[in-house]
């Protein structure tokens, strides 16, 4: 089983921008992020 590191899109450490604010609703990137976070079982 793969062991993934915890990913927080709202983190502000070491990256000056927040990825959560960069993904605009209605874009492909936002839809992909939503699907990975909420719909796909990565377990």
């Amino acid at each position: 089983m793969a062991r993934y590191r915890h990913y927080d899109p709202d983190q502000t450490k070491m990256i000056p921008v927040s990825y959560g604010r960069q993904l605009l609703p209605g874009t492909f990137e936002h839809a992909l992020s939503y699907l990975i976070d909420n719909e796909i079982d990565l377990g």
Side-chain angles (χ1 to χ4, degrees):
M1 177 125 212
R3 299 174 78 199
Y4 298 102
R5 291 184 184 194
H6 174 71
Y7 172 70
D8 182 11
D10 292 323
Q11 75 179 8
T12 56
K13 295 182 222 166
M14 302 192 56
I15 300 177
V17 295
S18 171
Y19 285 120
R21 285 189 252 160
Q22 298 297 317
L23 299 176
L24 301 175
T27 62
F28 172 76
E29 294 83 6
H30 183 268
L32 184 61
S33 177
Y34 175 82
L35 287 174
I36 291 173
D37 289 342
N38 299 309
E39 300 294 330
I40 298 174
D41 181 18
L42 297 176

